[in-house]
Amino acid sequence: MQKVELLAPAGDLERLKIAFIYGADAVYIGGEIFGMRSAAKNFSKEDMQEGVNFAHDMGKQVFVTINIIPRNNEIEKLQDYLIELDEIGVDAVIVSDPGVFTIVKQTIPNMEIHISTQASTTNSQAANFWYNQGAKRVVMARELSFKEIKELRDNTPEDMDIEAFVHGAMCMSYSGKCVISNYTTGRDANRGACAQSCRWKYTLVEKGDEGEFKPVIDDVGPSFFFNSKDLCMIEYIPEIFKSGITSFKIEGRMKTAYYVATTVRAYRMAIDEYYRDPENWKFNPMWLDELKKGSHRDYNTGFFFNSPDANAHNYKSASYIRNYDFIGIVRGHDEENNLVVVEQRNKMNLGDEIEVIGPFKETMKTTIEEMYNEDGEPIESAPHARQIVKLKLGIEVFENYILRKPIVTINTL
């Protein structure tokens, strides 16, 4: 059977390691320059080297984004950066600009090149163009359907990889080519500084003959009419395989380690279940429940089945849905006292009923039976960011397991 790649985002070194531990085959990251997510923490040279070493020790890969649209003065810095990436041992670079592509081929000719979704590849002729220039992989424009991707796959070389986003935030503008952020804030979305102005509330008006402004649609107040729902394709794993997509890409280099863990874990389970018995694969609602326990917007299927309609947007709110708090990550064990050592991420309390997730494991439920500070003194709660606590949980857990608890909403009416 065709093996596919599960490709995860990593905004920093911790998230890179979590992605691999929870089942990703590869990650895409940004360095300190030339990436489309300048607000992400991103990777220093030292962290990138550690991340690449960690990946290669596990037989996995790291791809680096160089997908901004650069200016002349930035091109001058590119060669040295490329040589640095080659020395670190990254497995591929992701580019969208023909000039950057040319310099990569000239400077580090043996480096694998992936064509970014920002290049808006929507047809087999464009994909073949990039392949003939030396690209190994083309990332599909997000505006393609399964049918269009299958047609593209049937008319391109078999050894060309096809990558497509299957989960995460969607952009309301074509392949991310948006100028709203630049207009409203001076922050250029095409240079990694998007302010997500599409998530703001707007009123649509037109100017009348007398110079007055009136709503385009009567009785409609301000709304979030640019606000796209998130993409989620976990219910359609067989369709993704059959379309010829070889890399399942998750969006989210700005997202938390908890988001990376929950999302990778859910898709890993769904993909592995398909490998076990593709003819009888059935969607497990638990996978979607897991995705909903991370921070997300309402889900839809993007362009995969047809062009999105009004249901692809949420007009009422741009807020994320959060039903669970990521409260801690297991860092080790206090063997002498049979306690679990946890790094706190959100407040936890003695007696909390919590859930624990780990890679390739079913979700476990338990209660915090005992709680101690780092010095072994009993405590009632852990309110301080990243404080080290020791817990008695009554279940077997291992390093990098994640603790979460439901968010309790109090009705004050």
Side-chain angles (χ1 to χ4, degrees):
M1 183 192 299
Q2 165 200 343
K3 284 287 184 180
V4 301
E5 172 188 273
L6 180 57
L7 177 58
D12 60 20
L13 185 58
E14 179 189 44
R15 282 171 273 184
L16 176 148
K17 293 180 178 180
I18 286 292
F20 287 133
I21 290 166
Y22 276 77
D25 300 303
V27 299
Y28 61 102
I29 69 174
E32 294 176 318
I33 53 177
F34 294 111
M36 284 289 286
R37 289 293 180 269
S38 61
K41 186 176 180 182
N42 291 322
F43 283 72
S44 66
K45 179 180 178 180
E46 294 73 24
D47 281 353
M48 193 179 291
Q49 184 69 73
E50 183 176 344
V52 168
N53 292 344
F54 184 88
H56 290 175
D57 286 346
M58 296 182 72
K60 303 191 177 188
Q61 294 185 301
V62 176
F63 311 143
V64 176
T65 58
I66 313 178
N67 55 349
I68 67 165
I69 301 172
R71 306 292 174 84
N72 286 329
N73 63 322
E74 293 168 315
I75 288 291
E76 298 171 3
K77 308 173 188 176
L78 182 56
Q79 283 186 317
D80 289 342
Y81 182 56
L82 291 172
I83 292 169
E84 186 176 282
L85 295 181
D86 197 39
E87 291 172 346
I88 288 171
V90 303
D91 298 285
V93 293
I94 306 169
V95 308
S96 62
D97 179 74
V100 172
F101 186 100
T102 300
I103 294 173
V104 173
K105 294 297 292 182
Q106 292 172 345
T107 307
I108 45 174
N110 294 322
M111 177 64 69
E112 186 170 300
I113 303 177
H114 299 174
I115 303 303
S116 170
T117 191
Q118 268 74 38
S120 303
T121 302
T122 58
N123 60 77
S124 59
Q125 291 296 320
N128 284 323
F129 167 83
W130 287 115
Y131 177 84
N132 291 332
Q133 299 304 308
K136 177 65 172 65
R137 175 180 300 190
V138 178
V139 187
M140 298 293 92
R142 301 193 198 200
E143 294 77 23
L144 294 184
S145 66
F146 277 134
K147 180 177 181 292
E148 290 172 311
I149 294 171
K150 181 65 167 62
E151 290 172 350
L152 186 148
R153 172 76 287 174
D154 290 342
N155 291 282
T156 50
E158 289 185 7
D159 63 341
M160 185 190 79
D161 293 339
I162 292 181
E163 179 182 306
F165 283 96
V166 300
H167 190 91
M170 292 287 282
C171 181
M172 54 75 63
S173 191
Y174 198 90
S175 290
K177 293 180 174 65
C178 182
V179 296
I180 299 177
S181 173
N182 209 335
Y183 180 79
T184 56
T185 69
R187 290 169 51 180
D188 192 340
N190 297 301
R191 296 174 60 74
C194 181
Q196 300 216 6
S197 305
C198 60
R199 308 294 180 188
W200 301 356
K201 183 181 283 190
Y202 294 95
T203 300
L204 185 61
V205 298
E206 63 178 349
K207 191 174 184 178
D209 295 338
E210 304 298 325
E212 79 284 7
F213 289 94
K214 58 182 180 180
V216 171
I217 304 174
D218 292 337
D219 301 322
V220 175
S223 69
F224 298 89
F225 52 72
F226 290 143
N227 180 46
S228 301
K229 292 181 180 179
D230 283 359
L231 177 67
C232 178
M233 295 301 293
I234 201 162
E235 298 180 57
Y236 305 100
I237 298 299
E239 287 85 349
I240 303 174
F241 270 86
K242 292 171 185 175
S243 72
I245 294 168
T246 52
S247 179
F248 295 24
K249 188 171 192 175
I250 297 168
E251 181 274 339
R253 278 196 290 133
M254 301 284 288
K255 303 290 182 67
T256 66
Y258 173 62
Y259 168 89
V260 172
T262 54
T263 309
V264 168
R265 176 173 172 264
Y267 277 90
R268 182 79 272 159
M269 289 189 288
I271 291 169
D272 288 350
E273 188 63 29
Y274 185 82
Y275 284 148
R276 275 189 282 273
D277 190 358
E279 296 301 320
N280 296 299
W281 185 92
K282 290 183 180 179
F283 167 66
N284 186 337
M286 180 271 290
W287 303 328
L288 183 57
D289 289 342
E290 282 297 304
L291 293 174
K292 290 181 177 179
K293 290 179 180 179
S295 180
H296 67 285
R297 301 181 185 91
D298 291 328
Y299 289 132
N300 79 348
T301 56
F303 289 79
F304 278 107
F305 292 102
N306 45 50
S307 294
D309 57 18
N311 292 321
H313 284 64
N314 184 343
Y315 302 94
K316 295 181 179 180
S317 173
S319 299
Y320 280 103
I321 302 167
R322 285 182 60 243
N323 299 315
Y324 279 74
D325 270 337
F326 168 30
I327 59 172
I329 183 167
V330 175
R331 293 305 189 196
H333 293 81
D334 179 344
E335 302 288 355
E336 182 178 351
N337 297 299
N338 195 28
L339 299 172
V340 179
V341 179
V342 173
E343 181 182 301
Q344 184 262 33
R345 292 301 174 89
N346 278 290
K347 185 179 180 181
M348 65 181 85
N349 303 292
L350 184 65
D352 277 345
E353 294 181 355
I354 66 170
E355 293 183 357
V356 181
I357 63 170
F360 311 100
K361 296 285 185 181
E362 296 293 327
T363 301
M364 298 178 285
K365 295 183 178 182
T366 190
T367 300
I368 300 178
E369 300 173 1
E370 299 175 15
M371 180 182 290
Y372 304 89
N373 64 19
E374 199 168 3
D375 297 324
E377 301 165 334
I379 55 176
E380 295 289 323
S381 68
H384 306 300
R386 292 183 177 264
Q387 75 180 99
I388 300 298
V389 295
K390 299 179 181 180
L391 308 177
K392 183 176 181 181
L393 296 178
I395 57 173
E396 186 178 34
V397 300
F398 298 96
E399 188 175 0
N400 294 307
Y401 277 29
I402 283 174
L403 283 58
R404 67 188 179 203
K405 68 176 183 179
I407 296 174
V408 178
T409 57
I410 301 173
N411 190 343
T412 58
L413 297 178

